[in-house]
Structures are given as C-alpha cells and as structure tokens.
Amino acid sequence: MTKPDSEWKWKELPEGTVMLEPGNADQYRTGDWKTLKPVLNKELCIHCGLCYIFCPDSSYNLDAEGYFIVNLFYCKGCGICAKECPTGAITMVVEEEEK
Amino acid sequence: MTEKLNVFAVRTLTQKEYFAPGHRACQGCAEALAVRLVAKALGRNVIIASATGCMEVVSSPIPFTAWRVPWFHVAFENAAAVASGIESGLKVLMRKGRLPRKKIVTIALAGDGGTADIGLQALSGALERGHDFIYICTDNEAYMNTGIQRSSSTPFGASTTTSPAGKVKMGQITWKKNMPAIAAAHNIPYVATACPSYPIDLVEKVKKAASIEGPAYLHILSVCPTGWRSAPELSIKLGRLAVETGIFPLYEVEHGKYHLSIDFPRLRPIKEYIRLQGRFRHLTEEMIGQIEERVRKEYAELKEKAAKGVAR
Amino acid sequence: MGKRVGMEVSIAAAEAVKQANVDVISAYPITPQTHVVEHLSELVANGELDAEFFCVESEHSALSVCVGSEATGARSFTCTSSQGLALMSEITYIASALRLPIVMIIANRALSAPISIWNDHSDVMSIRDCGWIQFFAENGQDVYDHVFIAYRLAEDRNVLLPAIINMDGFTLSHVIEPIEFIEQEKIDRFLPPYQPVHRLHPDRPVSMGGIALPPIFTETKKAHEVALQGSMPKILETWKAFGDMTGRYYQPVETYKAEDAETIMVIMGSFGETASAAVDLMREEGRSVGLAKIRLWRPFPFEAFKQATLHAKQLVVIDRAISIGGPGGPVASEVKAALYGEPIRPVVYNFVAGLGGRDVSPSDFIKMVDKAEIEIEEGNREGYEIYGVRE
C-alpha cells in the first residue's frame, strides 16, 4: 500500500521521484465522488458489455456468471453506463450516505 | 454498419486494463476513456510519453500512477520530441546489444493544445524525421486542464473562458484547425481519426498504427463534459453525434489514400449535437446555419478524396 | 602517453564525444556551437561512431530528445549556445530533476538583444539554478578531458545528474590548440557503459515525471539539492581518478601564483590563460598578484574557494556576464556570499568585462587590478563597474 504524499520523507523518494509501483492509482478511491450509483437489473442484462467498454474509470468487471458488475470503489457516478445500456438494465439511484 | 464499428464486439477485447482505475479524471471524461482504450489496444510492450495536460495530471499525482506501462511526462510542447528520443534510445541500445531485441511501441500522447498549438513544431519535426512512433492527440477542443481556455482546436462558435460569448462576440471566431490534414501533409504512412464512442474502431486503428513502421498520427475526439458544459452521461452520445452530423468524420489516410471508416448517406442536423452543449448555448440560428454549411462542405470534400482514393 | 595533436577545440570536443561512445546525439545549429555537431555528424556518416544522430527542429526539442533517450538508458549528448540555451532552458530544469545524466557542451555566447554571436557567459548564467553540474573549461584540453569526466560523474549511481561543460565561444571553440588524446582502451576502462537505476522499459514499468502537490514538492527539491551538493566528493574522486590515468589533475578552484598574493583575480573559463600572462607581467614588476580560476561553478566549491583566497587583501572578480539591476556580476555575487561569514575577509572589487566578444588582453587585466587597488585604497569597498565602456 502506497502511503499518501504528505507522509514521504525526502530521503525515501526514489531518484527523480520515479514511481515504481505500476498502476498503484488503483489503491485510490474515486468512488466517493458520486451522488448517484448504477444499479443493474440482471433480468434485462444481455451481457453486451457496453457498460464495461464505455466506462472511463474501468469500474466494470466480468463476474463468474458473465455479468459486468460495477465496482463502487472506483465508480464516479457519471451515468454513462445507464445511458448507453441498450436494454435499460442499469438505472442511476441516489447513493445513501455510508457511515 | 461495418463489423469493426459494431460496439457489440466489445467482448472480443482484452479484459486487461493498462490505464488503472483510481485516476482523477472528471465524471464522464471521454478523454480518460480514450486513453483507457488506447492502452488496452497497445498492451504491455509500449512506452508512453505524455504532454502536460489533463491526462498527465489526473494519472500521475505523486506517489500514485494510473499507468501499468512505462510512462514519461516531461513538458507541454515536447511529447513528440521526447517520444523521438525514446524510440531512438531503444533502437540504438538494441542495435548495440545492450537491450534484448523486441518490439516496443513508442507513443506520444497529447491534448489539442499540446498538439495543435504549443506542440505543433515538435510534432512536425518528429513526423518529418520519420521516427517509428504513434502520436495520439486526444482532442477535447480547449485547454481544459487550465480552465477551459480556447485553443486552435476549439470549434467555431464555442464559448470558452478566453473566447466567451459576449455582447459583440459570439464565442470562438475562428474555425477548428485541421490537424489530421496537417499530419497527412507530412506524407507519413498512417493518419486516422477516432472517437471512444466507437471503441472497436478506435482500438483497431491504434493496433494498425502500432503495426505500421514509421510515424502514425491518431486524432481522437474526446468529449469533455466539464468544458463542453454537457451532462456527463452524454459523453458517448455526443461523440456519436459528432460523427453522425459530419462534424468529426471517422477516416483513415493510409500512404496518402483516404478512406472513410463510416459513411452516412445523410448527415444528421448539427443542431442535435449543438443543443446538448452549454458552450454553444448562445448560438443564433444564423450561426448554426453557417456551421452546418461548412461541415457539409468539408464532409463532401472528404468524401471526394475518399472516392478518388488519393490524398492530394 | 596519448597522441598530441594540433586541432580545433570544437573538433576535439566532438572526438571526445565519439570516444565516450555516446548513443544518441540531438542538436540544432547555432553559432558558435556548429563545428562540434558538424564533426559529430561526419563521424556518424563515416561509420566511425555508432550513434543515433538527429538534427531536430529546435534546441527545445534537442534537449527533449536527449531526455527521452537518456530515460531509456542511452548515453545522450547535445550542444548549444546562447539563444538556443535560452530556448531549451525549460527542459534543463526537468532533465536534472528527473536525474537524467545527459552531458551538454555550451559554446558560451552572449544573449540578445542586440544579437551577438560572440562570447560571454550570459547564456549559462540564465540557467544558473537549473540543477546541473556545471564546469568551466579554460582551454581545449579541459574541454576534451571533461567530456569523459562529466559522463563518468553524471552516470555515477551516487550522482545521477546531468552536466554542462562551458566552452567559451570562438575564444575556445574555434581556436586550434594542442590536444593530448587518450587511448581508447583507457577511456573504455574509465567510462564503462551507462547502467541506469531506473529506465523506461516494459519489463519493469515505471512512471517518470508525475505531478507533485504541495505536500511533496518540497521533498523532491530537497532531494535534488542534496544530490547536487552531495556530488562534490564524487567530483573530487573522479578528477583524482582521471589525473591518475592522464597526469592531468583538476581542482574545483585552481590558482596561479596566488598562495602569497595580496591581490587575487578571480575568473572563469578562457580568461584563465590571458589572466595568467597578466599575473606574470605584474609579478615581474614586483607586485603581489595571483589568480584563482573557478572551474566548478555548480555545485559551488565554497570551501575550496575560501582556501584559495581568504588570505588575500583583495579580490578582483572579473565577470563575463552582467546581472542587470542586481549587485554586479554573478560570480562576484557568489564570491561575496562565500566570504560573508568570515570574520576577516578580502575586499571584493567587481568588473564585468568581455561582453559580447570584446577582447580582454593581459594589459586589460593589469588595468583592472590597478583600478581596483586604487579604488579600494580610496575606501570604495563595494566597487562594481563595467570595464572598458566608452562614456
């Protein structure tokens, strides 16, 4: 786990402040930006994968049953998936405050 | 609709992501989507040189990087020069036996400001020198990273923070610079336009560019909800409308030969595209008509080039 | 003992770049740098040097190409002057902060306007704080030798910083001097191929050049500052190793008849040999005058400088650049800062001379020493003037 920028001491920085952990942005939660979250109605889903391919935040992953499931850790709630879903299987709903 | 424009072919694409989630692009950023698709198309044997801009900032706040492939940011205007250096370094080290020989694709990635304005000279130089690399311009039609200032890629009529719609001026008063034509004028092997609303087409063009020896130029229209004042969920639809209205035609120029990736017997009215964006809110019917006329004319010229199969 | 050959200094510099087995060369033509790059292109064209050679479309791109190639682990070289350096200045700061050991020769030339193709140091002074190691060469042999010294030092894993070799335009770059060449086997031992700590390669993906928010930006600058300050022992060590190989031992501050001198002239670059001649003439007249030549400009050799000059009554600092609206010349500012903490210190009198290629002869150095001694005796302890300017 990468520590936040405010915790680094100068001596710990690699030469040229090179970042050595490829893709470690995936430790960063962007999911708390959203006010709306997508909800999938599996009955309407045709497994086309448009939600997955059009997601700017790579939030959708294929599960074992063949559904593309949103990862709310990353989902910023833009609503593209719901808009582009050809069968209307995804709806955006207000996300309740998580305590 | 040709097979490669069929969005339902998405399941043929790799599940692997090389542009990791957790990047800090705005909600509904189609530029981030374009970059994600480009990275997906290229796979792991690639080195990417980014210009300063939105994608650089959102992907690299130290100590977090969204890049799962080697990535380099140096400055704003020099992505093409840095990529030239990367390509040359790899070439000479492999020739001298100091790196094992293998195909590594070199990419320069820049926005419209970094391409059509401040980076144009370095780009022209790199294309002329003939480096084996792909230059990718993700065009969101203004300096979005600094707060929506106009660039030479901003379309006529668009209101930005430095081309505001006022009492005497109606937003941007110049026409969008034709970057793909400028790139094609360098007689490079491959030039193409793409849009993430057509993901399979985009991925295939990236792969084709990677397979071609010598410089390739890809111009990707990237809808920016923040700068275009459009709803984030409309980013894909707007890209599609840009193509279907003829505002942003999808085409390739291979060794000088033009080819339309998708052709429409009838273009949709540009109003359908324009009315979804706050940046065009102030446009009068007359101005919309003026834009429509120009779009039609340019589209017809492009079709003519494609029909002739010649570049110039 | 290597071969001694009479050769134009720019050609010798290019030969050194060849002998250093550089991988990528990228440059844009500007007088008086041109002969270096022309000769390198010949060496590549004749197959005598196996390198990627690019004539790019600007100096900005010249250094940007080197930044890209160096990041893949390729030994990279560029060369420029004056306006060219000003244009690439943005990238100089980035190359050092990213810790890319590029070596650049600057054929020093005045900055416009008015445009002047002739020598002074205003070009490199404009990037004084760019975070590179910076040498000033006194003669052609220095330039040739420092190509090897600079690469070995820059690429040292405890240093990893780019280096500039300042070579006065025309007065050094275009003169023919005897150069003692070093045998290739010796150079290959002294300068093994570059092994980067981090490189751009898919086998081990790294991200270079990210954005630093306020909580971490200061830490990155501290790391850079410590790296440059901390390169001093490595610089001394590298000069020692080079001296052991060639018999030519370099020092951060070199002196000439300064040990017992009451008045010491302080200069950088090709002023050295002319000023030495002036010292000889003054010594013949029984005057107590010596010379201190600053060879290492960054990191500034504070200790060595004090050791060389603290015993003097007065220093006559002769700058080849002007800091308009500031305290005089940049060397004088540094010298004053170096001495400020000393309870007993020499008085510093500052001349700016030799701007835009104006010749400075031994008699000019004597006149400057004369003037400084008189002024100081009359109580002018903050003297600064542009030498030889017509009123």
Side-chain angles (χ1 to χ4, degrees):
Chain A
M1 191 71 186
T2 308
K3 58 185 176 183
D5 56 0
S6 57
E7 288 175 21
W8 286 76
K9 299 185 172 77
W10 71 265
K11 272 187 188 172
E12 300 169 334
L13 294 174
E15 297 81 358
T17 326
V18 169
M19 289 182 273
L20 302 169
E21 279 183 67
N24 64 351
D26 62 13
Q27 299 165 16
Y28 186 81
R29 179 195 293 271
T30 53
D32 51 10
W33 297 12
K34 63 179 165 291
T35 50
L36 297 176
K37 69 174 177 186
V39 176
L40 173 68
N41 178 350
K42 286 188 177 177
E43 281 173 24
L44 293 177
C45 178
I46 56 166
H47 310 265
C48 68
L50 287 191
C51 52
Y52 156 77
I53 203 65
F54 283 135
C55 178
D57 300 298
S58 315
S59 302
Y60 277 91
N61 294 294
L62 195 58
D63 75 359
E65 296 168 45
Y67 291 100
F68 288 93
I69 303 297
V70 72
N71 182 344
L72 294 174
F73 186 82
Y74 301 120
C75 172
K76 295 169 186 166
C78 68
I80 284 176
C81 50
K83 186 82 190 166
E84 294 302 320
C85 178
T87 63
I90 303 172
T91 42
M92 299 301 289
V93 302
V94 176
E95 194 179 44
E96 278 160 44
E97 199 81 25
E98 280 170 39
K99 291 280 166 186
Chain B
M1 198 179 254
T2 59
E3 178 57 31
K4 66 180 185 171
L5 289 156
N6 181 359
V7 286
F8 294 101
V10 296
R11 300 193 60 164
T12 62
L13 296 178
T14 173
Q15 295 280 312
K16 288 202 178 108
E17 303 292 346
Y18 296 92
F19 185 63
H23 65 72
R24 307 188 194 183
C26 305
Q27 284 181 326
C29 173
E31 190 178 15
L33 174 59
V35 168
R36 174 186 165 223
L37 293 171
V38 164
K40 204 182 250 305
L42 291 165
R44 62 181 299 270
N45 285 318
V46 65
I47 299 176
I48 296 177
S50 275
T52 309
C54 287
M55 290 303 103
E56 168 261 326
V57 169
V58 303
S59 70
S60 73
I62 297 166
F64 293 103
T65 175
W67 299 94
R68 290 177 176 152
V69 290
W71 178 83
F72 198 23
H73 161 249
V74 180
F76 199 177
E77 65 284 66
N78 64 353
V82 172
S84 304
I86 292 169
E87 185 255 4
S88 313
L90 294 174
K91 193 155 100 185
V92 67
L93 291 176
M94 287 183 198
R95 185 170 73 229
K96 291 184 174 181
R98 302 223 311 270
L99 277 181
R101 279 190 189 274
K102 75 166 165 183
K103 167 103 175 163
I104 300 171
V105 181
T106 304
I107 305 291
L109 183 65
D112 50 297
T115 301
D117 290 344
I118 200 167
L120 185 58
Q121 176 179 318
L123 169 59
S124 177
L127 296 182
E128 173 268 324
R129 290 191 299 272
H131 295 278
D132 186 14
F133 81 120
I134 312 174
Y135 189 98
I136 296 173
C137 171
T138 46
D139 178 8
N140 56 19
E141 303 194 319
Y143 291 87
M144 300 312 183
N145 189 40
T146 43
I148 325 167
Q149 293 83 15
R150 63 81 76 184
S151 77
S152 61
S153 201
T154 301
F156 179 84
S159 179
T160 70
T161 55
T162 51
S163 64
K167 283 181 184 149
V168 293
K169 277 191 182 177
M170 301 296 262
Q172 175 93 339
I173 52 166
T174 52
W175 296 90
K176 184 181 176 78
K177 191 185 275 187
N178 189 342
M179 265 315 299
I182 292 169
H186 288 75
N187 290 331
I188 57 172
Y190 188 67
V191 173
T193 64
C195 176
S197 302
Y198 299 83
I200 307 295
D201 177 65
L202 188 152
V203 163
E204 291 201 358
K205 282 170 176 166
V206 172
K207 284 184 175 168
K208 191 190 268 187
S211 72
I212 286 170
E213 207 163 309
Y217 177 85
L218 282 181
H219 196 96
I220 304 180
L221 184 74
S222 306
V223 177
C224 170
T226 307
W228 294 15
R229 315 241 189 261
S230 55
E233 71 271 20
L234 293 181
S235 291
I236 306 303
K237 183 178 179 181
L238 275 169
R240 217 156 36 225
L241 282 171
V243 174
E244 290 172 359
T245 53
I247 283 176
F248 190 83
L250 298 182
Y251 62 95
E252 294 172 291
V253 191
E254 252 184 291
H255 295 287
K257 284 192 173 175
Y258 279 72
H259 168 72
L260 278 170
S261 312
I262 178 167
D263 190 13
F264 304 97
R266 274 204 8 235
L267 297 174
R268 297 178 85 133
I270 65 161
K271 238 182 177 172
E272 290 183 22
Y273 174 70
I274 277 175
R275 70 181 166 78
L276 296 176
Q277 302 171 56
R279 64 175 174 161
F280 293 124
R281 192 176 44 206
H282 57 283
L283 291 190
T284 59
E285 288 296 323
E286 191 198 340
M287 284 180 88
I288 293 172
Q290 209 182 340
I291 297 169
E292 184 119 55
E293 195 183 319
R294 178 138 172 160
V295 165
R296 298 275 153 108
K297 180 173 154 282
E298 287 183 350
Y299 193 81
E301 286 167 2
L302 186 66
K303 270 183 92 157
E304 202 179 322
K305 278 183 193 168
K308 281 189 200 149
V310 294
R312 284 155 279 271
Chain C
M1 189 79 162
K3 221 173 23 165
R4 209 170 149 87
V5 188
M7 189 179 274
E8 188 188 302
V9 172
S10 288
I11 308 298
E15 288 287 332
V17 172
K18 181 196 88 176
Q19 287 191 283
N21 201 9
V22 161
D23 298 311
V24 175
I25 301 158
S26 167
Y28 185 85
I30 182 166
T31 304
Q33 149 265 34
T34 40
H35 290 186
V36 178
V37 185
E38 285 168 6
H39 190 63
L40 279 169
S41 68
E42 274 173 36
L43 292 170
V44 173
N46 291 329
E48 291 175 56
L49 168 60
D50 182 10
E52 292 293 308
F53 180 94
F54 294 109
C55 302
V56 290
E57 82 301 327
S58 74
E59 287 87 355
H60 193 282
S61 284
L63 187 54
S64 298
V65 165
C66 288
V67 164
S69 54
E70 194 73 47
T72 66
R75 186 172 286 161
S76 306
F77 175 80
T78 189
C79 184
T80 193
S81 299
S82 179
Q83 307 307 118
L85 183 67
L87 184 57
M88 67 164 66
S89 72
E90 179 196 21
I91 309 303
T92 62
Y93 284 73
I94 299 172
S96 58
L98 296 176
R99 309 287 297 274
L100 298 170
I102 298 158
V103 171
M104 163 158 70
I105 294 179
I106 301 175
N108 302 106
R109 162 184 154 181
L111 279 180
S112 295
I115 188 166
S116 160
I117 60 167
W118 292 276
N119 171 239
D120 68 30
H121 294 164
S122 52
D123 54 5
V124 72
M125 290 307 165
S126 74
I127 56 156
R128 186 191 63 182
D129 298 335
C130 68
W132 293 43
I133 293 168
Q134 300 184 36
F135 299 106
F136 271 85
E138 182 179 355
N139 56 39
Q141 189 72 56
D142 283 12
V143 175
Y144 172 83
D145 289 350
H146 275 80
V147 171
F148 314 113
I149 291 165
Y151 273 116
R152 170 156 149 166
L153 181 60
E155 293 170 1
D156 189 301
R157 289 191 164 204
N158 295 306
V159 177
L160 289 177
L161 286 166
I164 287 167
I165 302 163
N166 287 291
M167 163 178 79
D168 282 328
F170 291 113
T171 52
L172 262 190
S173 65
H174 284 51
V175 298
I176 292 169
E177 290 193 4
I179 309 285
E180 191 178 306
F181 277 77
I182 307 167
E183 293 89 338
Q184 190 63 45
E185 316 85 74
K186 280 191 181 174
I187 288 168
D188 293 343
R189 275 200 303 276
F190 182 76
L191 182 62
Y194 173 42
Q195 295 292 339
V197 179
H198 310 294
R199 65 156 32 118
L200 293 172
H201 195 279
D203 286 353
R204 197 173 149 238
V206 296
S207 293
M208 299 184 181
I211 178 171
L213 300 181
I216 202 167
F217 186 83
T218 308
E219 281 64 30
T220 71
K221 292 295 126 182
K222 169 77 177 178
H224 190 170
E225 161 78 352
V226 170
L228 187 54
Q229 295 289 7
S231 68
M232 187 67 88
K234 278 285 168 192
I235 294 171
L236 301 178
E237 195 184 305
T238 307
W239 273 335
K240 170 77 167 54
F242 186 84
D244 291 346
M245 176 174 79
T246 61
R248 291 188 292 277
Y249 290 91
Y250 293 102
Q251 296 293 329
V253 179
E254 285 164 19
T255 55
Y256 182 68
K257 298 185 179 173
E259 292 72 18
D260 61 342
E262 289 184 5
T263 301
I264 298 177
M265 286 188 283
V266 179
I267 58 90
M268 294 204 299
S270 66
F271 269 165
E273 296 192 347
T274 331
S276 301
V279 167
D280 286 341
L281 290 168
M282 288 185 276
R283 284 279 179 177
E284 274 169 31
E285 289 172 6
R287 297 174 67 177
S288 179
V289 179
L291 176 66
K293 302 175 281 190
I294 300 172
R295 174 175 305 285
L296 183 65
W297 175 236
R298 282 293 182 275
F300 191 84
F302 289 98
E303 283 315 308
F305 184 79
K306 283 191 271 193
Q307 234 170 45
T309 60
L310 258 186
H311 62 276
K313 277 169 69 179
Q314 51 232 349
L315 304 183
V316 182
V317 179
I318 302 155
D319 263 290
R320 215 163 193 170
I322 185 165
S323 170
I324 293 173
V331 180
S333 298
E334 224 68 347
V335 161
K336 287 175 188 171
L339 301 175
Y340 186 75
E342 299 302 319
I344 300 165
R345 55 180 187 258
V347 175
V348 176
Y349 201 91
N350 180 206
F351 291 95
V352 170
L355 295 182
R358 179 139 342 156
D359 194 37
V360 183
S361 67
S363 66
D364 292 315
F365 284 104
I366 294 170
K367 281 179 196 160
M368 284 188 262
V369 171
D370 288 348
K371 178 82 190 297
E373 286 181 348
I374 290 165
E375 289 281 337
I376 292 166
E377 208 172 288
E378 288 177 358
N380 180 2
R381 300 175 68 85
E382 296 291 331
Y384 155 55
E385 60 186 276
I386 303 176
Y387 174 76
V389 72
R390 288 182 300 278
E391 296 291 341

